[in-house]
Amino acid sequence: MDTLNLQVPGRRTAAWSAIASLPLAFLTQYFLATASKGNSEFLYQSHSLLALPTSDASALYWGLWLDPFGFYMIYIPVIIYTWNALRHVDESIADVSSAFGIGYCLLGTFGALTQAGSFEALHVLYISTGATEVKDAAAAAWSATAGGQVRGLWLMEAFFAAVWLLGASRLLFAIRHSGLGVGAAVLGVSWLAHWILASADVTAVSNLLMAVVVMLGPLWTAWLGVVLLRTPNP
């Protein structure tokens, strides 16, 4: 029976990275929910967004900055470790899925940090002027930035996440970690469906699927971390 290659170094680092992603992910969501007041379309409402009071603007800024630590860059040690530890199970699937996993992390990080930096500058400009034409220009700049990230980088990240997680599911089933395999499959299918529906502008359903992966993704990752920690040393 295939198992994790326990000779591969980095298991504890990967495990703690996976576990740490859970509180960071939910802290990210707390900040974003505080800023958005539950409005899933708030990133597109440029004038309202840029006119946010200071406390809500700070929440949005920190939510976007924390995003890579809760959902993206913190996954890289996990992906690298599982790539090496499961490559003997199926080299092709491990290589492709892990490469797409790293791509997901990079796309998501670039999208979040670009928006964080742009929002800070445009928000200051918007609230510091009374000139309508300046406010309109700032709102237009934000619309272009958010549109490029949400409909560009963050849309493509959904496809990358789907390939990564569906491949990981296949590998986890092969080593008899069926629970983790089912979780990865559910997340992978949800990401894929979100990508298809968001591309087709079926907004309500795609937003619902995004909520599913945002809530379940960190739980699955932390579960994987616990499993890695509990795996006995060779």
Side-chain angles (χ1 to χ4, degrees), residues 93-148:
I93 292 177
D95 288 352
V96 171
S97 64
S98 298
F100 272 82
I102 297 294
Y104 157 78
C105 295
L106 296 178
L107 288 169
T109 296
F110 294 154
L113 296 186
T114 299
Q115 288 185 87
S118 299
F119 172 74
E120 183 182 36
L122 292 172
H123 178 257
V124 170
L125 175 63
Y126 193 95
I127 64 174
S128 64
T129 182
T132 301
E133 61 273 16
V134 175
K135 290 182 181 291
D136 288 342
W142 175 255
S143 293
T145 300

Side-chain angles (χ1 to χ4, degrees), residues 161-162 164-173 177-191 220 223:
W164 164 42
L165 288 162
L166 290 172
S169 173
R170 168 67 181 82
L171 296 172
L172 288 165
F173 276 119
H177 279 291
S178 300
L180 284 169
V182 169
V186 169
L187 288 168
V189 170
S190 297
W191 272 115
W220 177 82
W223 180 15

